[in-house]
Amino acid sequence: MPDRSPAALSRETCLALLGTRSLGRLIFTYRALPDVLPVLYRLEGEDVLLRLSLGSVAVPATRGAVVAFETDDVDPLALTGWSVTIVGQAHELIGRNPAGLGSLAGGGRDHYFRVAAEKITGHRLTGA
Amino acid sequence: MPDRSPAALSRETCLALLGTRSLGRLIFTYRALPDVLPVLYRLEGEDVLLRLSLGSVAVPATRGAVVAFETDDVDPLALTGWSVTIVGQAHELIGRNPAGLGSLAGGGRDHYFRVAAEKITGHRLTGA
């Protein structure tokens, strides 16, 4: 049987794909356990800018921490698509909506973070 | 300004929502860093059954480990939707596709895991 494991994508392709979406998932550690939150983001250069709701447990867990961020576009019926994950340290941004992002939690005074794509990996999925 | 932080969902609602989707994201630790992979799953009772591609780095990283699994249904334009995350220990299932799941990586001799929803959290998102 031929090996059809997911095809790894180049850093350049990963960044190009990151730029095509606006919704991803932030992975952080909360109370020593992994936790995940959908977030709106946009790509700026090789950084991901994202918005967290005021009062979210993710805010103190993200500030200064190494986090992962993932976005994908997968068709669960056709079993095709792609996924890109970055890992990097998150730095808080100062100012009123410096990332120009909408909120998934309706907050007005939210927190904004920049995550540098220190490590970036991606795969194209070709299922069966 | 009214507090419109994401509304926490009950365990019962979280499980009901988990049962409505087939694509989620598995969060595991690989080389001491967080990593994420889209996976097909189905809910069985209060457990999530999922399939990993043979040869994926996620397989040894998931076997016996405490992992997180997240699924959501978010409209990034309307800024509404929901997200559910479970955390639990992953146990490998034995047999030929015991979970009856399709593959995102086209493998024939894949690995299957059961993740018990030892901890389950969910939020309804109401953005602006």
Side-chain angles (χ1 to χ4, degrees), chain A:
Chain A
M1 183 175 303
D3 176 21
R4 292 189 293 148
S5 58
L9 300 173
S10 69
R11 179 181 182 90
E12 192 172 45
T13 302
C14 287
L15 286 168
L17 289 170
L18 268 180
T20 66
R21 305 287 281 180
S22 61
L23 176 74
R25 285 123 203 123
L26 176 70
I27 290 90
F28 55 98
T29 302
Y30 178 62
R31 291 183 177 169
L33 290 175
D35 208 342
V36 199
L37 207 63
V39 292
L40 295 176
Y41 79 98
R42 71 181 172 82
L43 188 70
E44 186 179 86
E46 300 200 347
D47 297 342
V48 163
L49 309 185
L50 56 87
R51 177 173 182 161
L52 291 177
S53 171
L54 188 77
S56 167
V57 298
V59 172
T62 296
R63 192 180 285 132
V66 172
V67 298
F69 172 84
E70 187 260 3
T71 190
D72 56 52
D73 188 5
V74 177
D75 182 331
L77 297 178
L79 301 178
T80 57
W82 55 266
S83 166
V84 170
T85 300
I86 73 170
V87 177
Q89 194 172 12
H91 297 281
E92 187 158 10
L93 302 172
I94 306 301
R96 183 172 172 79
N97 201 353
L101 291 166
S103 167
L104 286 177
R109 299 169 301 155
D110 286 350
H111 291 266
Y112 305 87
F113 292 90
R114 174 187 301 274
V115 183
E118 296 165 21
K119 173 172 177 272
I120 185 165
T121 53
H123 296 94
R124 197 168 294 282
L125 307 165
T126 52

Side-chain angles (χ1 to χ4, degrees), chain B residues 22-101:
Chain B
S22 61
L23 176 73
R25 285 121 204 127
L26 176 69
I27 289 91
F28 56 97
T29 303
Y30 177 61
R31 292 183 176 168
L33 289 175
D35 209 341
V36 199
L37 206 64
V39 292
L40 295 176
Y41 79 97
R42 71 179 172 82
L43 188 70
E44 186 179 87
E46 301 201 347
D47 297 343
V48 163
L49 308 185
L50 55 90
R51 177 172 182 163
L52 291 178
S53 171
L54 188 77
S56 167
V57 299
V59 171
T62 296
R63 192 179 284 131
V66 172
V67 297
F69 171 85
E70 186 261 3
T71 191
D72 55 52
D73 189 3
V74 177
D75 182 332
L77 297 178
L79 303 179
T80 56
W82 55 266
S83 167
V84 171
T85 300
I86 72 170
V87 177
Q89 194 173 13
H91 298 280
E92 188 158 10
L93 301 173
I94 306 301
R96 184 174 172 78
N97 201 353
L101 290 167

